Amino acid sequence: GDGEAAVATGYLARNWYALNPNQWMRDIVEHTGKAFLGLTFNCAHCHDHKYDPISHEDYFRLRAFFEPLGLRQDRWPGEPDAGPFQKYEYSVLRKIVMIGSVSVFDERPDAETIMYLGGDERSPIEGRGPVAPGVPAALGGPPIDVRPVELPPDAWYPGAKAFIRQAEIAQREQAVRAAEAALAALSDLDASSVRVASVETSDPIRQKAIAAAAAKLDAARSEMRSIEARIAADDARHVRQSDDAPALAAEAHRAERESALAAARAQLAQAEHALAEAEARPPDADKRAEAIQAAAAQVAATREAVTKAEQALDSPGSSGDDYTPLSPTYPRQSTGLRRALAEWITCRENPLTARVAVNHIWSRHFARPLVATVADFGRNGAPPTHPELLDWLAVELMDHGWEMKHLHRLIVTSTTYCQSSKGRESRVESRERESSGASRSPNGLVVSTDRDNGLLSRYDSWRMQAEVVRDAVLHAAGQLDTRFGGPPLDNVTDAASRRRALYFSVFPEAGGSQPFLQMFDPPDPCDCYRRSETVVPQQALAMTNSPLVLNQSRLLARRLTGQIQQEHTGQTVPDDVFAVAAFEQILTRRPTARELSACREFLAKQAALLGGGAAATATGTTPDGAIGPAADASLRARESLIRALFSHNDFLMVR
């Protein structure tokens, strides 16, 4: 029932494969082993593991924990109901659903896991019965304790969630207010005083219109009573489980049928109004007969619907307790298999999980894990560079209740993390240090003996990840949209969005990543335990010529120029002042004397080249939201300087 904790099971739903449920199970076992245990279980899919103590049977025993799984699609706050999850149907095209929250549940509690040979589910082992859930004995830990889990009402009946009820009521309230306003406009009355009553008028068409509006208001109010009765019945049946549940269910049943009758009468009144309008047309009006015929057919159909609704209301079965629920109903009890596995994975006796977690956390801070093969701690994986440190941090994590915030704080406040990433001094830096009387940097003394930084004698510098590069450009230009939440963005249709890059879709097929991000090693949607980091010429071209960098450079150059202009009213903005402002905004530091001199020369040369060329395009906005180049050569030169600073090592690298 904990929606926030359920996010951790997202990888189970992410790997769902409609065409082959066995492939789904294979992916779950593989990534459960890699992500939490640092072991490649997928090797044992076909045979006993060649390196680690994992047997062919161990593989299927782990799979048995997930065999009952199915997918469901629940409503998400602020979004309409997405409906039930679309099951796979042969020859039926699946619809793309961008709303709702897909999660797992125990759809088949009695599902059995059958072992097969050679990784082929079509070759089950003859005479071998179902495999019971279990973990490799070689990994140790306490025995697996599987106990069924009683779920809270809003877990097995999502319609009990408060935000769903509030959304349903708000929708009906809005419909009532709209109907009241429509009737008030026709009746020349104040909306607050509107009642379902006829209004005297000599105009038959207007009288029909008022009657239709009054019927629509009656239907809206009847629908409000219906949803209130359904919620009350749900509360008694699913939440409180009180003795008055049958009576409230019967009341909800009748209220829903009364609402259906009121809706049918509203449709009839609307059809009669349309017929009156059609008959009121001049005899020689174009297609008058066709309009009358269509309206008359609609009146006949809606009258029939009213008759059926009246019969349904007065039928002997109208006193039943069946009413439309606010959501599907799922099993009230979970098998407890995944909870038992989670308890074993996170127990102190398990030698792997805490180490794997610590290794990932360390890697995020230093861009270099303590174990290079982050998804393989087995015999075929790389040995840890600092085994004692890995063990100490693992115990620290467990001793503090697996609180990762504590571990993050411990790492970032350590002397190791706070070291400078500066390596050996250059000749220029050495001369500048000596001229200033500063002492030699301690980092410069150890570079010769620790070139690969295996001793953690300094902080390694590393390039920002692809998403961070994009977001950093937008943030420096003041254009990043930092709002939280929302649906995923399409890489093509939403490419101009200023939202954070993590909201863009990532998938293995074509178009699964933005072209700009593809230049900087985006995540692999199928296996992203450790990012690759490449250096290729196309990255420099992207930081120079991409629409993103061009547009944000222009925006930032104009914003900085405008801000400086306010401080130098009536004067030309000095290039030196602009260069300092650009450095502070993008690199978060002031330029050195040499850098400032280089910027001054660059701006002068660039302005001369741009001023002597063809006339620049007038400033404007293109259809995709990009900012066109400025007509002023000096401003265009500043745009080029901003673009150069976006490619600066101090901007792209984490130090």
Side-chain angles (χ1 to χ4, degrees):
D2 187 349
E4 293 185 1
V7 174
T9 64
Y11 81 101
L12 300 175
R14 173 66 181 83
N15 291 314
W16 182 72
Y17 186 55
L19 301 180
N20 189 347
N22 284 288
Q23 181 60 47
W24 184 29
M25 290 292 108
R26 285 194 283 269
D27 288 339
I28 288 178
V29 172
E30 174 184 354
H31 294 296
T32 298
K34 287 181 176 180
F36 302 110
L37 301 173
L39 291 175
T40 54
F41 269 80
N42 49 307
C43 298
H45 178 224
C46 304
H47 48 70
D48 291 348
H49 203 289
K50 297 298 183 182
Y51 301 100
D52 301 325
I54 303 173
S55 68
H56 186 44
E57 182 177 354
D58 285 336
Y59 175 90
F60 287 93
R61 294 178 69 197
L62 182 60
R63 168 175 166 162
F65 285 102
F66 305 101
E67 203 72 54
L69 290 185
L71 292 186
R72 54 189 263 189
Q73 184 155 309
D74 295 337
R75 190 167 177 175
W76 193 255
E79 295 180 349
D81 188 3
F85 181 78
Q86 301 177 52
K87 300 289 187 179
Y88 172 72
E89 295 182 54
Y90 181 73
S91 74
V92 175
L93 183 64
R94 289 176 53 83
K95 298 178 181 179
I96 298 177
V97 180
M98 301 296 290
I99 58 176
S101 173
V102 179
S103 58
V104 295
F105 73 107
D106 286 339
E107 184 177 31
R108 300 173 298 124
D110 299 328
E112 297 178 341
T113 299
I114 305 299
M115 285 185 64
Y116 47 79
L117 297 172
D120 187 354
E121 59 267 21
R122 296 169 297 180
S123 303
I125 299 178
E126 296 292 338
R128 178 63 191 264
V131 178
V135 295
L139 297 183
I144 293 294
D145 182 17
V146 179
R147 305 182 307 277
V149 178
E150 296 294 335
L151 301 175
D154 61 356
W156 57 265
Y157 181 66
K161 295 180 178 179
F163 81 86
I164 293 181
R165 297 179 172 187
Q166 293 167 1
E168 293 293 326
I169 291 175
Q171 178 183 345
R172 272 69 176 188
E173 288 177 342
Q174 183 178 3
V176 170
R177 289 194 296 269
E180 288 177 344
L183 181 57
L186 287 171
S187 309
D188 298 326
L189 297 173
D190 182 79
S192 61
S193 62
V194 168
R195 296 291 183 271
V196 181
S198 61
V199 178
E200 296 297 331
T201 177
S202 58
D203 185 351
I205 296 180
R206 184 166 181 266
Q207 190 172 16
K208 292 284 187 182
I210 293 174
K216 188 173 183 179
L217 175 57
D218 181 55
R221 289 172 173 168
S222 181
E223 177 64 17
M224 172 61 78
R225 292 190 294 271
S226 173
I227 192 64
E228 290 174 344
R230 288 160 58 194
I231 290 175
D234 273 354
D235 187 62
R237 174 182 287 181
H238 302 311
V239 180
R240 293 185 290 107
Q241 299 181 355
S242 57
D243 295 337
D244 60 346
L248 291 174
E251 184 178 340
H253 172 91
R254 183 165 185 83
E256 191 171 17
R257 277 148 183 74
E258 289 175 348
S259 176
L261 176 57
R265 287 172 174 169
Q267 292 176 352
L268 175 59
Q270 184 63 37
E272 290 175 341
H273 174 234
L275 177 59
E277 285 186 324
E279 291 174 341
R281 293 184 181 184
D284 57 347
D286 186 32
K287 296 183 179 181
R288 178 178 182 271
E290 291 87 339
I292 293 176
Q293 184 178 2
Q298 185 65 22
V299 169
T302 51
R303 279 179 178 165
E304 183 178 354
V306 169
T307 301
K308 290 182 178 179
E310 290 173 341
Q311 293 173 348
L313 180 63
D314 297 330
S315 64
S318 62
S319 60
D321 61 356
D322 57 320
Y323 58 90
T324 304
L326 298 183
S327 74
T329 301
Y330 301 99
R332 301 191 180 197
Q333 192 180 65
S334 171
T335 60
L337 288 171
R338 284 176 289 135
R339 186 183 72 170
L341 178 61
E343 290 174 346
W344 176 83
I345 286 176
T346 56
C347 70
R348 291 187 67 93
E349 293 83 356
N350 190 323
L352 290 173
T353 309
R355 290 180 174 90
V356 173
V358 163
N359 194 49
H360 277 289
I361 294 173
W362 183 274
S363 178
R364 298 308 188 273
H365 287 297
F366 292 92
R368 177 192 290 194
L370 297 172
V371 179
T373 52
V374 295
D376 189 359
F377 277 50
R379 293 171 180 167
N380 201 38
T385 57
H386 299 74
E388 296 84 358
L389 174 61
L390 181 67
D391 289 346
W392 182 79
L393 288 174
V395 173
E396 185 75 12
L397 177 63
M398 291 187 292
D399 284 346
H400 287 80
W402 296 83
E403 184 184 358
M404 293 188 178
K405 182 179 290 186
H406 166 76
L407 203 64
H408 286 301
R409 184 182 294 110
L410 180 66
I411 290 175
V412 300
T413 57
S414 66
T415 303
T416 304
Y417 182 83
C418 295
Q419 290 184 114
S420 171
S421 58
K422 206 167 188 179
R424 179 179 295 175
E425 293 178 339
S426 66
R427 293 179 180 177
V428 174
E429 291 171 330
S430 179
R431 286 196 298 268
E432 290 181 351
R433 176 184 54 77
E434 292 172 357
S435 63
S436 64
S439 59
R440 188 172 182 80
S441 168
N443 287 59
L445 297 175
V446 295
V447 170
S448 60
T449 58
D450 190 22
R451 292 185 179 277
D452 295 330
N453 200 24
L455 301 176
L456 301 176
S457 57
R458 63 187 180 278
Y459 187 87
D460 278 327
S461 59
W462 46 283
R463 197 200 67 221
M464 294 187 296
Q465 292 179 338
E467 299 90 337
V468 184
V469 172
R470 172 193 175 273
D471 291 355
V473 170
L474 290 170
H475 179 71
Q479 298 295 307
L480 183 64
D481 184 350
T482 58
R483 290 176 298 165
F484 284 97
L489 303 176
D490 184 83
N491 293 307
V492 178
T493 59
D494 299 318
S497 173
R498 299 295 177 253
R499 300 216 64 193
R500 295 164 64 197
L502 65 89
Y503 291 109
F504 281 93
S505 301
V506 178
F507 47 86
E509 294 80 11
S513 181
Q514 281 195 343
F516 180 83
L517 300 182
Q518 289 176 354
M519 294 293 101
F520 296 92
D521 309 311
D524 181 347
C526 298
D527 193 333
C528 189
Y529 293 100
R530 186 180 181 185
R531 293 279 187 101
S532 59
E533 185 176 330
T534 60
V535 179
V536 294
Q538 291 87 338
Q539 294 168 350
L541 293 174
M543 295 303 296
T544 304
N545 301 321
S546 67
L548 171 70
V549 176
L550 284 171
N551 196 31
Q552 300 310 311
S553 298
R554 291 165 179 168
L555 286 169
L556 181 54
R558 293 166 200 189
R559 180 161 67 87
L560 291 178
T561 299
Q563 292 174 353
I564 299 171
Q565 190 70 59
Q566 293 178 355
E567 301 173 2
H568 297 75
T569 306
Q571 303 177 24
T572 303
V573 177
D575 285 344
D576 284 10
V577 177
F578 178 84
V580 171
F583 265 74
E584 291 177 341
Q585 178 68 18
I586 299 174
L587 306 183
T588 66
R589 66 173 177 83
R590 294 177 66 85
T592 64
R594 294 180 67 251
E595 288 172 333
L596 188 59
S597 176
C599 290
R600 188 185 306 115
E601 294 176 7
F602 172 81
L603 290 171
K605 181 179 179 180
Q606 193 76 355
L609 291 173
L610 294 170
T617 305
T619 300
T621 303
T622 61
D624 63 353
I627 303 299
D632 179 71
S634 175
L635 182 55
R636 293 188 67 191
R638 291 173 179 176
E639 294 172 0
S640 299
L641 177 62
I642 294 292
R643 196 161 62 251
L645 291 181
F646 279 145
S647 297
H648 198 288
N649 191 264
D650 287 351
F651 178 75
L652 294 173
M653 303 296 289
V654 177
R655 300 184 184 278

